[in-house]
């Protein structure tokens, strides 16, 4: 316990990097994911095929391999990005593929008759999407969206391997100094748990707040 | 087969010329031709699968069709023939602008579940016609009053009975000040005791002079409200005319058989 209190400041710094990377990645992944989903549902085949190839690749390659690629291989290609930016980018691009499926499924789950009702009122394109389809899709997307956010938070722990001082890496450093793996990793695990638990609670709250009146 | 509309001389609001639609070998609509005059209430009857609903959905292009032409107040909808002689679908923006002139009421109501009753009625006038919010809301309240639901403005659709939902759906369509209203089996999904309240609203609309195309199985409504009844079977219009003529003196065997079945019900 002492070990956690003595290193509390360090752990907090690690947690803040983890939180910051998570938030940025969730934001970018969700935005890209929505864009990909819209392309999959609406775009003509060349663009759609391109996006689908991308999604297959991202879903088929481990996140760690992508991070190594960014960290070790890109510099050879003459691209030098700092690990934090690169980490956020790779995590975002990776999870955008999962977000895309979340949104695509949610858009397709909006009943056809709702689209018809909007069209019959003269809506099309963005008016139909923003007034009729997306508000209903968002409700379906809620639970799997939160689920993906939780995967992103935990996914950021992989950046510890490319030298970033996130929560996991800080934990490893403290263990090397103090030789107290149980309490240190226990504490690290607890912090991850609370971040994810908070996300679940936010999800529950939103579900109640924006659920239909039944 | 087609006859002159009752309001002779009035410019037809909806003209359907040689409308055909098919899926592969299966013909859904077979050279349907008819005229619906401004202010006329036309009721379309026929057995299921006869193409009534498809015809209605073609009129506002919720369904594509392969041949023929539909004109609303003289303007062809949906397709244009290019200089190369190829028939092409018009841009979605134009199709949407055309749809905004027609109100449609669906069998399954299709209110937007995430919006209050008031919002359901005023969303399209605000977002599509650019109406001012306060004006659109005032008109929505007025329309809801007309269909007897003024006290439900803040309710959500899920809280309403089927009959109430359908009346909101009618108000929603009317809010766009449509040139004509299309009713697609508007009472078929309702409990029997809720059918009357919806038919009453539709009847009033017809009395107010709204141009209406009504697909229904309610024969009594067809008799009382229709200026003209159209009988369809297998994608074709087999008979059309004033309700008395069709119901009292059906010419075709198909219509005679159809009326016999609908009248007989399950009585011995």
């Amino acid at each position: 316990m002492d070990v956690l209190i003595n290193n509390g400041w360090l752990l907090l710094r690690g947690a803040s990097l983890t939180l910051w990377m998570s938030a940025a990645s969730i934001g970018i992944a969700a935005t890209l994911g929505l864009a990909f989903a819209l392309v999959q549902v609406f775009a003509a085949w060349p663009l759609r095929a391109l996006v689908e190839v991308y999604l297959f690749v991202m879903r088929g390659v481990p996140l760690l391999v992508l991070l190594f690629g960014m960290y070790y291989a890109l510099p050879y290609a003459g691209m030098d990005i700092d690990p934090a930016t690169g980490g956020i980018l790779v995590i975002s691009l990776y999870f955008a593929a999962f977000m895309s499926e979340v949104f695509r499924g949610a858009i397709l789950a909006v009943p056809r008759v709702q689209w018809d009702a909007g069209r019959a009122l003269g809506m099309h394109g963005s008016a139909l999407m923003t007034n009729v389809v997306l508000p209903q899709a968002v409700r379906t997307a809620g639970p799997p969206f939160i689920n993906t956010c939780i995967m992103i938070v935990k996914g950021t722990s992989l950046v510890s391997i490319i030298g970033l001082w996130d929560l996991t890496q800080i934990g490893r450093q403290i263990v090397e100094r103090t030789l107290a793996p149980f309490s240190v990793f226990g504490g690290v695990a607890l912090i991850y748990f609370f971040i994810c638990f908070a996300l679940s609670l936010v999800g529950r709250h939103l579900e109640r707040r924006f659920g239909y009146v039944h | 087969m087609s006859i002159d509309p009752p309001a002779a001389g009035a410019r037809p609001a909806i003209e359907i010329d040689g409308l055909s639609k098919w899926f592969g070998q299966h013909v859904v609509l077979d050279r349907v031709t008819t005229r619906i005059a401004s202010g006329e209430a036309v009721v379309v009857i026929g057995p299921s699968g006869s193409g009534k609903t498809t015809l209605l959905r073609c009129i506002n292009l919720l369904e594509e069709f392969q041949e023929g032409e539909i004109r609303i107040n003289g303007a062809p909808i949906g397709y244009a023939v290019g200089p190369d002689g190829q028939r092409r679908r018009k841009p979605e923006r134009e199709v949407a602008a055309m749809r905004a002139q027609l109100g449609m009421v669906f069998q399954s109501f299709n209110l937007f579940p995430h919006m209050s009753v008031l919002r359901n009625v005023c969303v399209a006038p605000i977002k599509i016609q650019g109406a001012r919010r306060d004006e659109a809301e005032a008109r929505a309240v007025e329309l809801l009053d007309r269909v007897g639901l003024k006290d439900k403005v803040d309710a959500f659709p899920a809280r309403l009975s089927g009959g109430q939902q359908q009346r909101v759906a009618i108000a929603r369509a009317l809010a766009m000040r449509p040139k004509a209203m299309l009713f697609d089996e508007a009472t078929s999904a309702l409990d029997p005791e809720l059918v009357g309240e919806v038919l009453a609203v539709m009847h009033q609309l017809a009395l107010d002079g709204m141009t209406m195309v009504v697909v229904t199985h309610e024969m009594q409504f067809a008799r009382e409200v229709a200026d003209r009844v159209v009988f369809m079977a297998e994608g074709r219009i087999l008979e059309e005319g004033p309700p008395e003529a069709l119901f009292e003196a059906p010419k075709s065997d198909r219509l005679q058989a159809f009326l016999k079945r609908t009248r007989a019900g399950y009585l011995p």
Side-chain angles (χ1 to χ4, degrees), chain A residues 70-82:
Chain A
M70 182 273 300
Y71 189 68
Y72 294 112
L74 277 192
Y76 282 106
M79 285 194 273
D80 228 350
I81 39 177
D82 83 280

Side-chain angles (χ1 to χ4, degrees), chain B residues 93-112:
Chain B
R93 179 174 36 82
E94 280 178 42
V95 172
M98 178 279 293
R99 287 191 188 120
Q101 303 174 22
L102 297 172
M104 181 148 191
V105 177
F106 299 87
Q107 180 175 355
S108 50
F109 330 135
N110 304 353
L111 293 182
F112 304 129

Side-chain angles (χ1 to χ4, degrees), chain A residues 5-190:
Chain A
I5 293 162
N6 293 339
N7 293 288
W9 184 241
L10 268 177
L11 285 169
L12 272 184
R13 260 186 50 196
S16 78
L17 181 66
T18 291
L19 274 176
W20 151 239
M21 291 194 72
S22 302
S25 302
I26 287 170
I28 301 172
T31 311
L32 280 177
L34 181 60
F36 291 157
L38 291 173
V39 165
Q40 276 186 290
V41 177
F42 295 108
W45 79 267
L47 190 55
R48 202 173 62 224
L50 208 67
V51 163
E52 267 166 32
V53 167
Y54 172 85
L55 298 182
F56 273 117
V57 171
M58 284 298 162
R59 283 203 300 258
V61 178
L63 179 54
L64 188 54
V65 172
L66 293 173
L67 282 170
F68 280 152
M70 182 273 300
Y71 189 68
Y72 294 112
L74 277 192
Y76 282 106
M79 285 194 273
D80 228 350
I81 39 177
D82 83 280
T85 314
I88 290 174
L89 216 60
V90 168
I91 292 170
S92 302
L93 291 173
Y94 176 80
F95 281 104
F98 295 85
M99 286 291 192
S100 170
E101 285 302 281
V102 168
F103 290 128
R104 190 177 68 97
I107 288 171
L108 294 181
V110 175
R112 283 324 280 188
V113 292
Q114 285 288 320
W115 298 64
D116 281 352
R119 288 197 181 109
L121 287 167
M123 296 181 188
H124 79 289
S126 62
L128 184 62
M129 289 311 286
T130 55
N131 292 300
V132 176
V133 178
L134 289 181
Q136 297 187 59
V138 160
R139 286 165 171 82
T140 320
F145 173 77
I146 293 292
N147 203 33
T148 310
C149 290
I150 288 172
M151 280 164 58
I152 289 177
V153 171
K154 297 198 288 188
T156 60
S157 68
L158 290 178
V159 299
S160 60
I161 295 175
I162 56 168
L164 283 174
W165 288 68
D166 78 319
L167 184 53
T168 304
Q169 175 68 359
I170 295 272
R172 283 171 68 194
Q173 297 298 329
I174 298 172
V175 168
E176 294 214 344
R177 260 193 300 109
T178 60
L179 302 176
F182 279 110
S183 33
V184 172
F185 282 129
V188 165
L190 215 58

